[in-house]
Amino acid sequence: MTKVSVVVLSWNTAELTCACLRSVSAAFAAEGIDGELVVVENGSDDGSAERIATEFPEAVLLRNEENRGYASGVNQGVAASHGEWVLLLGSDALLLEGALTSLLGF
């Protein structure tokens, strides 16, 4: 079982979402964390889904045809996750070095 699933909801934030996902991937690698990326693409029209699929093939990418809103989107992401722990992370957030290890320590 994956220890932590990071769920990110994306809607027309391709640049921010990719920066966020890069920070999560880097945290998994640097901190030696067994992690899973789950991205819910909420009907963007800025090419977000295609870019995420290309740059982060390891991510579980859920594509919605329309924007289902925040609550529905994150619930969809949590339902698709397999982690013991789930972190909901905004697409405009970046994980700082050591953040996941600190969170998991609690």
Short mmCIF file of all heavy atoms in Angstrom, two decimals, residues 42-76:
data_model
loop_
_atom_site.label_atom_id
_atom_site.label_comp_id
_atom_site.label_asym_id
_atom_site.label_seq_id
_atom_site.Cartn_x
_atom_site.Cartn_y
_atom_site.Cartn_z
N ASN A 42 -10.37 19.14 -13.77
CA ASN A 42 -11.77 19.51 -13.65
C ASN A 42 -12.31 20.28 -14.86
O ASN A 42 -12.88 21.35 -14.71
CB ASN A 42 -11.97 20.31 -12.37
CG ASN A 42 -13.13 19.84 -11.55
OD1 ASN A 42 -13.83 18.92 -11.91
ND2 ASN A 42 -13.33 20.49 -10.40
N GLY A 43 -12.11 19.72 -16.06
CA GLY A 43 -12.70 20.30 -17.27
C GLY A 43 -12.01 21.55 -17.78
O GLY A 43 -12.66 22.42 -18.37
N SER A 44 -10.71 21.65 -17.61
CA SER A 44 -9.96 22.82 -18.09
C SER A 44 -9.97 22.91 -19.60
O SER A 44 -10.08 21.89 -20.29
CB SER A 44 -8.50 22.75 -17.62
OG SER A 44 -8.41 22.79 -16.23
N ASP A 45 -9.81 24.13 -20.08
CA ASP A 45 -9.69 24.33 -21.53
C ASP A 45 -8.35 24.95 -21.90
O ASP A 45 -8.19 25.52 -22.97
CB ASP A 45 -10.85 25.18 -22.06
CG ASP A 45 -10.94 26.55 -21.42
OD1 ASP A 45 -10.01 26.95 -20.69
OD2 ASP A 45 -11.95 27.24 -21.66
N ASP A 46 -7.36 24.81 -21.01
CA ASP A 46 -6.03 25.38 -21.25
C ASP A 46 -4.97 24.33 -21.56
O ASP A 46 -3.78 24.61 -21.52
CB ASP A 46 -5.59 26.23 -20.06
CG ASP A 46 -5.30 25.42 -18.80
OD1 ASP A 46 -5.68 24.23 -18.76
OD2 ASP A 46 -4.71 25.98 -17.85
N GLY A 47 -5.40 23.10 -21.85
CA GLY A 47 -4.45 22.03 -22.15
C GLY A 47 -3.83 21.38 -20.93
O GLY A 47 -2.88 20.60 -21.05
N SER A 48 -4.37 21.65 -19.76
CA SER A 48 -3.82 21.10 -18.52
C SER A 48 -3.74 19.58 -18.55
O SER A 48 -2.70 19.00 -18.20
CB SER A 48 -4.67 21.51 -17.31
OG SER A 48 -4.59 22.88 -17.06
N ALA A 49 -4.82 18.92 -18.93
CA ALA A 49 -4.86 17.45 -18.88
C ALA A 49 -3.76 16.84 -19.75
O ALA A 49 -3.06 15.91 -19.31
CB ALA A 49 -6.23 16.94 -19.31
N GLU A 50 -3.60 17.35 -20.95
CA GLU A 50 -2.59 16.81 -21.86
C GLU A 50 -1.19 17.04 -21.31
O GLU A 50 -0.33 16.16 -21.38
CB GLU A 50 -2.73 17.44 -23.24
CG GLU A 50 -4.01 17.08 -23.95
CD GLU A 50 -5.25 17.84 -23.45
OE1 GLU A 50 -5.10 18.89 -22.75
OE2 GLU A 50 -6.36 17.38 -23.74
N ARG A 51 -0.97 18.21 -20.76
CA ARG A 51 0.35 18.53 -20.22
C ARG A 51 0.67 17.66 -19.01
O ARG A 51 1.78 17.14 -18.87
CB ARG A 51 0.40 20.01 -19.85
CG ARG A 51 1.76 20.44 -19.45
CD ARG A 51 1.97 21.89 -19.62
NE ARG A 51 3.22 22.23 -18.98
CZ ARG A 51 3.52 23.41 -18.51
NH1 ARG A 51 2.67 24.39 -18.64
NH2 ARG A 51 4.66 23.63 -17.93
N ILE A 52 -0.29 17.49 -18.13
CA ILE A 52 -0.09 16.65 -16.94
C ILE A 52 0.19 15.21 -17.37
O ILE A 52 1.10 14.56 -16.85
CB ILE A 52 -1.30 16.75 -16.00
CG1 ILE A 52 -1.40 18.15 -15.41
CG2 ILE A 52 -1.23 15.69 -14.90
CD1 ILE A 52 -2.75 18.48 -14.78
N ALA A 53 -0.59 14.71 -18.31
CA ALA A 53 -0.40 13.33 -18.78
C ALA A 53 0.99 13.13 -19.37
O ALA A 53 1.62 12.09 -19.17
CB ALA A 53 -1.48 12.98 -19.81
N THR A 54 1.49 14.12 -20.09
CA THR A 54 2.80 14.03 -20.72
C THR A 54 3.94 14.15 -19.71
O THR A 54 4.88 13.37 -19.73
CB THR A 54 2.95 15.14 -21.79
OG1 THR A 54 1.94 14.95 -22.78
CG2 THR A 54 4.32 15.10 -22.45
N GLU A 55 3.84 15.15 -18.82
CA GLU A 55 4.94 15.42 -17.89
C GLU A 55 4.94 14.52 -16.66
O GLU A 55 5.99 14.34 -16.03
CB GLU A 55 4.89 16.88 -17.44
CG GLU A 55 5.22 17.86 -18.56
CD GLU A 55 5.34 19.29 -18.07
OE1 GLU A 55 5.83 19.51 -16.94
OE2 GLU A 55 4.93 20.18 -18.83
N PHE A 56 3.79 13.95 -16.32
CA PHE A 56 3.68 13.13 -15.10
C PHE A 56 2.95 11.83 -15.40
O PHE A 56 1.85 11.59 -14.89
CB PHE A 56 2.96 13.93 -14.00
CG PHE A 56 3.65 15.22 -13.69
CD1 PHE A 56 3.26 16.39 -14.32
CD2 PHE A 56 4.72 15.26 -12.82
CE1 PHE A 56 3.91 17.58 -14.07
CE2 PHE A 56 5.38 16.46 -12.56
CZ PHE A 56 4.98 17.62 -13.20
N PRO A 57 3.56 10.97 -16.21
CA PRO A 57 2.88 9.72 -16.58
C PRO A 57 2.62 8.80 -15.39
O PRO A 57 1.76 7.93 -15.45
CB PRO A 57 3.84 9.08 -17.59
CG PRO A 57 5.16 9.69 -17.31
CD PRO A 57 4.88 11.08 -16.81
N GLU A 58 3.35 9.01 -14.30
CA GLU A 58 3.16 8.19 -13.10
C GLU A 58 1.92 8.59 -12.31
O GLU A 58 1.46 7.83 -11.44
CB GLU A 58 4.40 8.27 -12.18
CG GLU A 58 4.57 9.58 -11.44
CD GLU A 58 5.16 10.74 -12.25
OE1 GLU A 58 5.32 10.63 -13.47
OE2 GLU A 58 5.48 11.77 -11.62
N ALA A 59 1.38 9.76 -12.59
CA ALA A 59 0.22 10.25 -11.85
C ALA A 59 -1.06 9.55 -12.29
O ALA A 59 -1.23 9.22 -13.47
CB ALA A 59 0.06 11.76 -12.05
N VAL A 60 -1.93 9.34 -11.33
CA VAL A 60 -3.29 8.90 -11.65
C VAL A 60 -4.03 10.16 -12.07
O VAL A 60 -4.15 11.10 -11.28
CB VAL A 60 -3.98 8.27 -10.41
CG1 VAL A 60 -5.42 7.92 -10.72
CG2 VAL A 60 -3.20 7.06 -9.92
N LEU A 61 -4.45 10.22 -13.32
CA LEU A 61 -5.09 11.42 -13.85
C LEU A 61 -6.55 11.13 -14.14
O LEU A 61 -6.87 10.30 -14.99
CB LEU A 61 -4.37 11.88 -15.13
CG LEU A 61 -4.97 13.09 -15.85
CD1 LEU A 61 -5.01 14.32 -14.94
CD2 LEU A 61 -4.16 13.38 -17.13
N LEU A 62 -7.41 11.82 -13.42
CA LEU A 62 -8.85 11.69 -13.62
C LEU A 62 -9.31 12.92 -14.40
O LEU A 62 -9.08 14.04 -13.96
CB LEU A 62 -9.58 11.61 -12.28
CG LEU A 62 -9.05 10.54 -11.32
CD1 LEU A 62 -9.73 10.68 -9.97
CD2 LEU A 62 -9.26 9.16 -11.89
N ARG A 63 -9.94 12.70 -15.54
CA ARG A 63 -10.35 13.81 -16.41
C ARG A 63 -11.87 13.97 -16.38
O ARG A 63 -12.59 13.07 -16.79
CB ARG A 63 -9.92 13.54 -17.84
CG ARG A 63 -8.43 13.42 -18.03
CD ARG A 63 -8.12 13.14 -19.48
NE ARG A 63 -6.74 12.78 -19.67
CZ ARG A 63 -6.01 13.17 -20.70
NH1 ARG A 63 -6.54 13.92 -21.65
NH2 ARG A 63 -4.75 12.80 -20.81
N ASN A 64 -12.30 15.11 -15.90
CA ASN A 64 -13.72 15.44 -15.93
C ASN A 64 -14.03 16.29 -17.15
O ASN A 64 -13.24 17.17 -17.51
CB ASN A 64 -14.12 16.21 -14.66
CG ASN A 64 -14.02 15.36 -13.42
OD1 ASN A 64 -14.15 14.14 -13.49
ND2 ASN A 64 -13.78 15.99 -12.29
N GLU A 65 -15.15 16.03 -17.77
CA GLU A 65 -15.57 16.81 -18.95
C GLU A 65 -15.95 18.23 -18.58
O GLU A 65 -15.86 19.14 -19.40
CB GLU A 65 -16.74 16.12 -19.64
CG GLU A 65 -16.38 14.78 -20.27
CD GLU A 65 -15.39 14.93 -21.41
OE1 GLU A 65 -15.54 15.88 -22.22
OE2 GLU A 65 -14.45 14.12 -21.49
N GLU A 66 -16.41 18.42 -17.34
CA GLU A 66 -16.83 19.75 -16.89
C GLU A 66 -16.30 19.99 -15.49
O GLU A 66 -15.89 19.06 -14.79
CB GLU A 66 -18.35 19.85 -16.89
CG GLU A 66 -19.01 18.83 -15.98
CD GLU A 66 -20.51 18.81 -16.11
OE1 GLU A 66 -21.06 19.34 -17.09
OE2 GLU A 66 -21.15 18.23 -15.22
N ASN A 67 -16.31 21.24 -15.08
CA ASN A 67 -15.87 21.60 -13.74
C ASN A 67 -16.94 21.16 -12.74
O ASN A 67 -18.04 21.70 -12.73
CB ASN A 67 -15.63 23.11 -13.66
CG ASN A 67 -15.04 23.51 -12.32
OD1 ASN A 67 -15.12 22.81 -11.33
ND2 ASN A 67 -14.42 24.67 -12.31
N ARG A 68 -16.61 20.20 -11.91
CA ARG A 68 -17.56 19.68 -10.92
C ARG A 68 -17.48 20.41 -9.58
O ARG A 68 -18.19 20.07 -8.65
CB ARG A 68 -17.29 18.19 -10.67
CG ARG A 68 -17.53 17.32 -11.87
CD ARG A 68 -17.33 15.89 -11.49
NE ARG A 68 -17.52 15.00 -12.63
CZ ARG A 68 -17.37 13.70 -12.55
NH1 ARG A 68 -17.04 13.12 -11.41
NH2 ARG A 68 -17.55 12.95 -13.61
N GLY A 69 -16.60 21.37 -9.49
CA GLY A 69 -16.43 22.10 -8.24
C GLY A 69 -15.39 21.43 -7.34
O GLY A 69 -14.97 20.30 -7.57
N TYR A 70 -15.00 22.17 -6.30
CA TYR A 70 -13.93 21.71 -5.43
C TYR A 70 -14.30 20.44 -4.67
O TYR A 70 -13.57 19.45 -4.71
CB TYR A 70 -13.52 22.82 -4.45
CG TYR A 70 -12.41 22.39 -3.53
CD1 TYR A 70 -11.09 22.40 -3.97
CD2 TYR A 70 -12.67 21.92 -2.25
CE1 TYR A 70 -10.06 21.98 -3.15
CE2 TYR A 70 -11.65 21.50 -1.42
CZ TYR A 70 -10.34 21.53 -1.87
OH TYR A 70 -9.33 21.10 -1.06
N ALA A 71 -15.39 20.47 -3.95
CA ALA A 71 -15.74 19.34 -3.08
C ALA A 71 -15.90 18.05 -3.88
O ALA A 71 -15.36 17.00 -3.50
CB ALA A 71 -17.01 19.63 -2.29
N SER A 72 -16.61 18.11 -4.97
CA SER A 72 -16.81 16.91 -5.79
C SER A 72 -15.48 16.42 -6.36
O SER A 72 -15.21 15.22 -6.38
CB SER A 72 -17.80 17.21 -6.92
OG SER A 72 -17.96 16.08 -7.73
N GLY A 73 -14.65 17.36 -6.81
CA GLY A 73 -13.36 16.99 -7.39
C GLY A 73 -12.43 16.32 -6.40
O GLY A 73 -11.84 15.28 -6.70
N VAL A 74 -12.29 16.90 -5.21
CA VAL A 74 -11.38 16.28 -4.24
C VAL A 74 -11.95 14.96 -3.73
O VAL A 74 -11.19 14.02 -3.47
CB VAL A 74 -10.98 17.22 -3.08
CG1 VAL A 74 -10.16 18.39 -3.59
CG2 VAL A 74 -12.15 17.66 -2.27
N ASN A 75 -13.27 14.87 -3.58
CA ASN A 75 -13.86 13.59 -3.18
C ASN A 75 -13.57 12.52 -4.22
O ASN A 75 -13.29 11.36 -3.88
CB ASN A 75 -15.36 13.73 -2.95
CG ASN A 75 -15.69 14.42 -1.64
OD1 ASN A 75 -14.90 14.42 -0.71
ND2 ASN A 75 -16.87 15.00 -1.57
N GLN A 76 -13.63 12.88 -5.49
CA GLN A 76 -13.31 11.96 -6.57
C GLN A 76 -11.84 11.52 -6.46
O GLN A 76 -11.53 10.33 -6.62
CB GLN A 76 -13.56 12.66 -7.90
CG GLN A 76 -13.36 11.83 -9.12
CD GLN A 76 -13.61 12.64 -10.40
OE1 GLN A 76 -13.81 13.86 -10.37
NE2 GLN A 76 -13.59 11.96 -11.51
#
